[in-house]
Amino acid sequence: MKPSARQAETSRSFELQKYTGYIAFFVAIVFSLFHLANGYRILMDEFSLRAVHLSMVLLLAFLLLPVSKRKKRTNAQVAIDLALGLLAGASSFYAYTQYETLVNRIGLPVEGLDLFCGLALIALLIEATRRKVGLALPIICVAFIAYAYLGQYCPSTIRHQGYTTSQIVNHLYFTVDGIFGVPLGVSAKYIVLFILFGSFLQATKGGNFFIDLAFSIVGRTRGGPAKAGVLASGLFGTISGSAVANVMTTGQVTIPLMKKVGYRPVFAGAVEAVASSGGQLMPPIMGASAFIMAEILGVTYWKVVVAAIIPSILYYLALLIMVDLEAGKEGLRGMSKEELPSFQGTMKGGWIFLAPLILLVVMLARQYSAQKSVFWATVLLLVVSFFGKDTRINFKSFIRALEDGAKTSLEVALVCACVGIIIGTFMLTGLGLKFSGILIDLAGSSVLVLLILTMLCSLVLGMGMPTSAAYLTLAILVAPALISLGVAPMAAHLFVFYFGIISAITPPVALAAYAGASLAGADFNKTGWVAFRLGFVAFLIPYMVVFGPPLMMEGGLLTIVSSFITATLGTFFLAIGLQKFFLLKISKIESLLYIAAAIGLIDAGSLTDLFGFGVGGACLVFHLIKFKQRKGVGERVFEV
């Protein structure tokens, strides 16, 4: 029987998609091998690296990402996307070929082929970003371009002279203050290599080791699966760098087990969301934003890692306490010994995955570049994988890891390039200084008020945007205002970084919580609000960092230790107040007293600390006496 016209068209469409799939596969492999080679030995100057990096990213994006996820790609759409990918890649590659010429004519009018390539790159970059991460960031980029073009019509506080199309394209396309700026450089130099490290870790089943290790440590304690989920997400999340990806990876194991021991589906999804979001704050890798932060601040990556150690510990300690109190309130137990992997067996089969991480930390601590450190950690990972029968990587899994690493890199690379448009318009129009002045005027020169305004800006801008995009935008918009009022630069950037992370669990757009809800079979909105409540303890920590520099490892050992103890108590008190439970259920008034004690411990001052210790300590003593009267002396009352 002769095929119909529709069947023939469908067949041709399938063939074209298959061929474009081959092209995408080839580009992905070349992309990953190129960056691994550059990690071993610098292949070209930074501008050229950024241009080549972006050209492959854009070609890959249009080959893989459809115009709409709701509709299947037709033959015509596949052909159009292939043409757009080639045009976008060529536009970026053109900047690489013309680099020396462009440097010599910076500031001159842009016309002809230069103007066409610049406009094509800007438009297609925004479209590729929309396809990958949604509308939020592209809309902001378009708004900033419109502001650069129509600035003379804006209110006086943010008015500027207005710029022509040629001037805008010249700044965004032909300088290192625009698309090819620092964020894209960080993506090309560091982030891709760390993503490839994570891909190889998955290919060698290292992710399973971290999950089993977490369950072997805390699985038998009350609410054990939830605590294991917290630990596993922290261990794996530092490598994955994406809250949603972390939820979908570890959550498939932890959420069903949480539900099995009695946690409500809504709570199980929320726990995984909060735990997965914090992975981006957990050293040694910390996702993409930490590399960008190091570049912006002009410090080594290791300095950012050291500054984030205590805040990350406090984040996960807060969540562990919240989970334990919930388990105590609901009367939940842990898992039996027979249901859990043994610690000895887990370490025996998976210790090899600790060696690359140890090498990575040691090299970073010895001031090797992040680029070199992660390259050799990846090499060691591949070598030690041959020590185990189940972990051994073969040619097929090696190629698959290269392909997955390239595909995973798309989001961060597109976001970094797209944020370059925002940064470029800031530099061109001088909006950064104006915006900082507006925030300072609103705050009345009060650091606390400015921090609250910054927190709100961070949460709003972070909703629906990847952490790296949210952080970059906030680092340009808000961080300078904090620094101008005396906040230490590292503290200011960690503050906006922290709340950019927490935005993933803040309704109404809580992407990590929604991912957890989908795995738990729970209501999306309810899961989002429970995640917000669980993560609310973490809202205290950034303020502690700003008002207590020792929490960033600054100062003497005694000062750092005492500040850590104070912060831990504040976190503990706030958790009790929010959960309304400690040994037994507590009243609303008692809950408010605990919260007041926690707030008192935010400030590093002696009087506020004394208030926090006094109120919180009195409440603890009262509850211990009350509990002993009800339950009897000697019973175990708290378990982490």
Side-chain angles (χ1 to χ4, degrees):
M1 180 183 258
K2 199 172 183 179
S4 66
R6 174 172 288 187
Q7 287 174 328
E9 172 65 21
T10 302
S11 176
R12 287 195 299 271
S13 177
F14 176 79
E15 288 293 323
L16 187 55
Q17 288 193 50
K18 183 172 73 172
Y19 291 135
T20 55
Y22 291 150
I23 297 171
F25 173 78
F26 176 76
V27 173
I29 301 303
V30 171
F31 176 87
S32 295
L33 290 175
F34 169 76
H35 284 90
L36 284 171
N38 193 68
Y40 172 69
R41 183 177 182 180
I42 304 301
L43 300 177
M44 55 185 66
D45 62 85
E46 292 214 7
F47 184 90
S48 299
L49 176 66
R50 296 170 192 181
V52 173
H53 171 74
L54 184 58
S55 68
M56 287 191 281
V57 164
L58 288 170
L59 176 56
L60 201 55
F62 280 102
L63 289 172
L64 295 174
L65 305 172
V67 175
S68 173
K69 296 178 181 178
R70 298 177 182 178
K71 297 180 181 179
K72 291 184 178 180
R73 294 166 111 176
T74 65
N75 193 39
Q77 288 171 338
V78 172
I80 291 171
D81 285 344
L82 177 58
L84 291 176
L86 291 171
L87 175 59
S91 298
S92 182
F93 197 77
Y94 177 77
Y96 160 67
T97 62
Q98 300 295 312
Y99 176 58
E100 290 186 8
T101 305
L102 297 174
V103 168
N104 294 328
R105 39 163 289 191
I106 287 177
L108 296 177
V110 178
E111 55 189 15
L113 185 59
D114 294 346
L115 181 61
F116 173 78
C117 288
L119 286 172
L121 182 64
I122 293 169
L124 292 174
L125 170 60
I126 291 173
E127 167 59 13
T129 307
R130 180 198 68 80
R131 295 187 184 193
K132 185 61 182 176
V133 302
L135 281 170
L137 183 58
I139 288 174
I140 293 173
C141 287
V142 171
F144 275 102
I145 292 173
Y147 169 70
Y149 192 70
L150 303 170
Q152 67 270 34
Y153 303 112
C154 293
S156 58
T157 52
I158 57 171
R159 185 178 300 158
H160 62 83
Q161 65 185 20
Y163 295 90
T164 65
T165 302
S166 176
Q167 289 172 317
I168 295 170
V169 170
N170 180 64
H171 192 79
L172 297 183
Y173 182 56
F174 293 151
T175 73
V176 291
D177 292 327
I179 292 171
F180 300 110
V182 169
L184 186 62
V186 173
S187 172
K189 284 174 63 178
Y190 309 123
I191 297 173
V192 173
L193 290 173
F194 276 90
I195 289 174
L196 284 169
F197 177 76
S199 293
F200 284 119
L201 191 67
Q202 283 290 82
T204 54
K205 301 179 182 178
N208 296 338
F209 164 70
F210 290 122
I211 294 173
D212 289 345
L213 181 64
F215 272 95
S216 69
I217 294 172
V218 296
R220 295 186 67 185
T221 62
R222 71 182 185 188
K227 294 174 185 173
V230 172
L231 293 181
S233 296
L235 291 170
F236 185 76
T238 184
I239 298 165
S240 73
S242 167
V244 175
N246 197 3
V247 170
M248 301 307 291
T249 302
T250 58
Q252 294 186 47
V253 177
T254 59
I255 289 176
L257 290 174
M258 279 189 255
K259 292 167 66 177
K260 182 179 178 181
V261 299
Y263 281 107
R264 293 172 291 122
V266 165
F267 191 85
V271 167
E272 183 58 47
V274 179
S276 295
S277 298
Q280 297 168 93
L281 189 71
M282 177 63 69
I285 298 177
M286 298 175 63
S289 301
F291 301 101
I292 302 169
M293 188 187 303
E295 290 288 328
I296 292 175
L297 290 173
V299 298
T300 62
Y301 176 68
W302 179 248
K303 189 167 184 179
V304 176
V305 168
V306 170
I309 289 175
I310 292 179
S312 64
I313 292 173
L314 291 174
Y315 182 97
Y316 279 100
L317 182 62
L319 185 55
L320 282 171
I321 294 171
M322 291 287 281
V323 165
D324 185 83
L325 293 177
E326 179 76 12
K329 189 164 56 175
E330 299 295 330
L332 304 180
R333 297 184 178 274
M335 299 171 68
S336 66
K337 184 178 180 180
E338 293 72 24
E339 295 177 292
L340 295 168
S342 70
F343 178 77
Q344 293 83 356
T346 300
M347 289 300 296
K348 183 178 179 180
W351 66 268
I352 57 175
F353 297 113
L354 296 178
L357 290 176
I358 292 171
L359 175 65
L360 177 63
V361 171
V362 169
M363 289 189 71
L364 288 172
R366 291 179 65 85
Q367 304 300 311
Y368 285 92
S369 71
Q371 200 172 359
K372 287 286 184 186
S373 301
V374 70
F375 173 81
W376 288 112
T378 304
V379 171
L380 180 59
L381 173 63
L382 295 176
V383 171
V384 299
S385 72
F386 285 92
F387 292 179
K389 183 179 179 181
D390 295 331
T391 63
R392 193 172 299 136
I393 195 166
N394 55 35
F395 180 75
K396 185 178 179 180
S397 57
F398 178 79
I399 294 298
R400 178 59 60 87
L402 291 177
E403 182 185 11
D404 290 344
K407 291 178 179 178
T408 305
S409 301
L410 287 183
E411 179 178 304
V412 176
L414 289 170
V415 163
C416 286
C418 213
V419 169
I421 295 175
I422 299 174
I423 295 173
T425 54
F426 266 95
M427 300 287 287
L428 183 64
T429 61
L431 181 62
L433 293 175
K434 296 174 184 176
F435 194 82
S436 295
I438 292 170
L439 283 176
I440 293 171
D441 289 341
L442 287 173
S445 298
S446 167
V447 174
L448 180 59
V449 175
L450 183 57
L451 288 173
I452 294 171
L453 290 173
T454 300
M455 176 187 72
L456 295 175
C457 288
S458 303
L459 293 175
V460 171
L461 285 173
M463 290 179 187
M465 291 209 318
T467 303
S468 51
Y471 165 70
L472 274 167
T473 306
L474 294 163
I476 301 299
L477 272 173
V478 181
L482 290 173
I483 295 169
S484 67
L485 284 188
V487 177
M490 181 68 76
H493 281 261
L494 278 177
F495 189 88
V496 297
F497 175 44
Y498 210 111
F499 280 112
I501 290 172
I502 295 175
S503 66
I505 56 169
T506 305
V509 185
L511 296 181
Y514 295 164
S518 67
L519 291 178
D523 181 86
F524 281 39
N525 289 325
K526 288 182 180 178
T527 304
W529 285 110
V530 172
F532 178 73
R533 178 171 62 84
L534 287 173
F536 193 79
V537 180
F539 279 62
L540 185 71
I541 299 168
Y543 291 92
M544 289 179 170
V545 170
V546 171
F547 291 114
L551 294 180
M552 296 184 295
M553 298 287 194
E554 295 181 7
L557 179 62
L558 184 60
T559 304
I560 292 171
V561 171
S562 63
S563 296
F564 177 69
I565 293 172
T566 301
T568 301
L569 280 174
T571 301
F572 182 49
F573 291 154
L574 186 59
I576 295 173
L578 291 174
Q579 284 285 47
K580 298 179 181 177
F581 179 84
F582 176 64
L583 310 180
L584 41 81
K585 291 183 179 179
I586 62 178
S587 67
K588 289 183 179 180
I589 294 177
E590 293 166 330
S591 172
L592 291 174
L593 286 173
Y594 275 115
I595 293 173
I599 293 173
L601 291 168
I602 293 178
D603 195 350
S606 301
L607 290 177
T608 54
D609 283 350
L610 187 61
F611 171 81
F613 278 124
V615 174
C619 288
L620 286 177
V621 171
F622 171 76
H623 280 103
L624 283 171
I625 294 173
K626 194 175 180 181
F627 178 79
K628 288 179 180 179
Q629 289 175 345
R630 291 192 182 185
K631 299 290 184 179
V633 180
E635 186 171 333
R636 185 170 57 181
V637 296
F638 188 74
E639 180 181 15
V640 174

